[in-house]
Amino acid sequence: MVSIGVWINAFLTLCILSFLYKDNPFFRFAESLFAGMSLGYYIGLANQQTLMPNLFMPLFRDFSGSVVLLIPMALGILLYFRYIPRIAWMARLALAVYIGYYIGVMFLQKLHGEVLPQSRDTILQLRGIAGIDVLWNAVFIAGVISVLLYFYFSAEHKGVLGKVSRVGIWFLMISFGASFGYTIMARISLLMGRFSFLVNDWIRPLMGAS
Amino acid sequence: MKTPLLFILAAAAVVLASQAPAPAVLAGEIQGLRAFDSPGDGGESVTLEWEGGPSTLVSIMRSESSGGPFEEVGTTIGTDGAYEDYVEEGRPYYYRLSYRIGDQDYVTAPVGPVAARSNWFRSYRLNALVLAVLMFSLVIYYINAAKRGKDLYIRRISGISAIDEAVGRATEMGKKIIYIPGIMSISDIQTIASLSILSHVAKQTAVYGADIEVPNKDPLTFTAARETVKQAYMEAGRPDQFREDMVTYITYDQFAYAAAVSGKMVRERPATNFLIGYFFAESLILAETGQSTGAIQIAGTAAPTQLPFFVTTCDYTLMGEELYAASAYLSKEPILLGSIKAQDIAKALIIVTILVGIVAYFFGSTVIRNLLASR
């Protein structure tokens, strides 16, 4: 016995997959349903998992101890001021605080978490190790330096800089190729998951197979 | 006469005692256990260090009194020689280690008391501070230089020329432009760079009278994108042409958003698609659909995992930092130009540091490597 939930799931999966042929009413129906339901779901999610536990409940339980929460609340309300033309400019204050805060946080995170360790890990040993390791270390170093020089914007890519940055582009393209293949394999496994659902949870029980 | 003799005898005794063989240390036995407040943290941990240790698991035992009872709070491989225990700030603790060598169980003498305390400064992050100060100084210097009118050269990136051509193409064909600013919030720097490019594109559409649509996934990006487009139309002197529905909100769900925008591309067949910002798995769905409709596509992202998809399906791709450079190049904003220039100087310094570090490492010095260490 196939449950109604599996039927709906299978029908919507086929509706979405029908886009592979061409745009059609079934795809439009599934697309609109998907977009609409997800929007409603995320509104509920934002209320249940963000606003209630992080803002409303602490304020109701212990207002004096949570008074600092009124600041982000005020910033959130400011965003809606854009619908009042006379004071619409105030919405930008909230955006400015949000952007400024995250840029400050991200700057140090990137510096500490990426720039320093990646620079350190590029300083590799070129002697006293096996010949093949020397070769790979040299390739690694050449890759990092040439790619960094490709992203140097203060000079025209001519002469030596042009040649080195050309090598950088080759390194980038090779890494893109590897990344492309790797990600496509991951997507294929997602597709297999969908087909597995259609065959094992829908078609096989429908045909009486266990 | 007696005193010198006694002195000689005493000295001889000391010398003999010092030459006596030390008690044998068993292989794997833990020596010199010490516990101390972890330096440079927020008062959340105590560090244990020791010499020796077995290659098997060692139990970390903790108590609030030297006499116990001790309870196990963690395990680690004995040869690690260190363990960080997360504790309540200010509360004193005693530690001892319990381990087994062969069939014999061993327990070290307890050490302590030790309490975790907050520190004002993380000394091991001094390198990050120095680099941050250097970067900020360079950025401020070059921003001021740009404001004073100094010509800061930034080379032209091929994708930038294509932006104006793509807007012109849409105008000639009488079809709309779809601009997708990624799926992240404006807390992401790529989204901010994307909005800067959106401003340029919107000014062009305002001047040429082309139609533009900006579908959004993130609510805050949606708000900022609408402000950006509105401002661009005002700056272009065409505020009457701006419509609120040029910037729309779709949904917060990644794939529902991808499905809705893909449907839009197929139905409305835009002349040009811009996919500029931070993308995840939806990048290929969007770019592939756009490519199948025959639209000219210009993409830009610094997400390394998504760049291959854009490179293969789009006509022009702004890769990585080109995205930020493009926004600076197009806007000619002193703040952005100064930032790009400062980043170039920082990149040159990093390249020099790496090369010097490699040479030093080649000759056996790890000074530069250690200077760049982070944790």
Side-chain angles (χ1 to χ4, degrees), chain B residues 180 265 273-277 279 283 286-287 297-301 310 314:
Chain B
I180 303 167
M265 283 176 176
N273 294 325
F274 288 95
L275 301 106
I276 299 178
F279 290 85
S283 67
L286 296 170
Q297 300 203 105
I298 298 170
T301 186
F310 285 149
C314 296

Side-chain angles (χ1 to χ4, degrees), chain A residues 16 19 23 27-28 31 34-35 38-39 42 79 82-83 88 92 95 98-99 102-103 106-108 111-112 115-117 119-127 141 144-145 148-157 169 172-173 176-177 179-180 183-184 187, chain B residues 125 127-128 131-132 135-136 153-155 157 185-187 192 220 223 226-227 231 249-253 255-256 259-260 263 266-267 281 289 305 307-309 311-312 319 321-322 325 341 344 347 350-351 354 357-358 361-363 368-369 372-375:
Chain A
I16 291 287
F19 186 69
D23 187 34
F27 173 75
R28 288 185 203 186
E31 171 208 312
F34 194 11
S38 65
L39 182 59
Y42 276 101
L79 284 173
R82 57 183 303 280
Y83 295 107
R92 293 182 180 184
L95 287 177
Y98 188 71
I99 294 171
Y102 271 100
I103 284 181
M106 294 301 288
F107 179 82
L108 280 178
L111 198 65
H112 191 259
V115 176
L116 281 171
S119 303
R120 183 179 190 270
D121 290 347
T122 309
I123 300 175
L124 294 167
Q125 189 55 275
L126 293 174
R127 74 168 188 181
I141 292 164
V144 173
I145 301 290
L148 268 176
L149 283 172
Y150 172 77
F151 289 111
Y152 188 77
F153 299 104
S154 296
E156 202 66 57
H157 282 180
I169 272 288
L172 281 172
M173 290 304 152
F176 289 165
S179 176
F180 189 92
T183 315
I184 287 291
R187 303 290 162 81
Chain B
R125 290 195 176 177
N127 52 6
L131 205 53
M135 269 299 292
F136 281 130
Y153 175 79
I154 291 183
R155 73 176 163 84
I157 300 158
S185 188
I186 47 168
S187 57
I192 296 168
L220 281 174
T223 309
R226 190 174 269 182
E227 288 289 332
Q231 184 70 28
Y249 186 73
I250 307 287
T251 176
Y252 197 72
D253 186 90
F255 289 109
V266 170
R267 265 161 248 142
T289 308
T305 49
L307 269 169
F309 302 126
V311 169
T312 47
M319 296 187 295
E321 251 193 287
E322 286 181 343
K341 199 75 182 173
D344 271 358
K347 262 177 268 176
I350 287 169
I351 290 172
I354 288 172
I358 290 165
Y361 201 29
F362 187 83
F363 290 107
I368 307 285
R369 257 178 79 88
L372 297 172
S374 64
R375 71 179 172 97

Side-chain angles (χ1 to χ4, degrees), chain B residues 283-304:
Chain B
S283 67
L284 187 58
I285 299 171
L286 296 170
E288 181 71 21
T289 308
Q291 207 258 356
S292 71
T293 63
I296 186 169
Q297 300 203 105
I298 298 170
T301 186

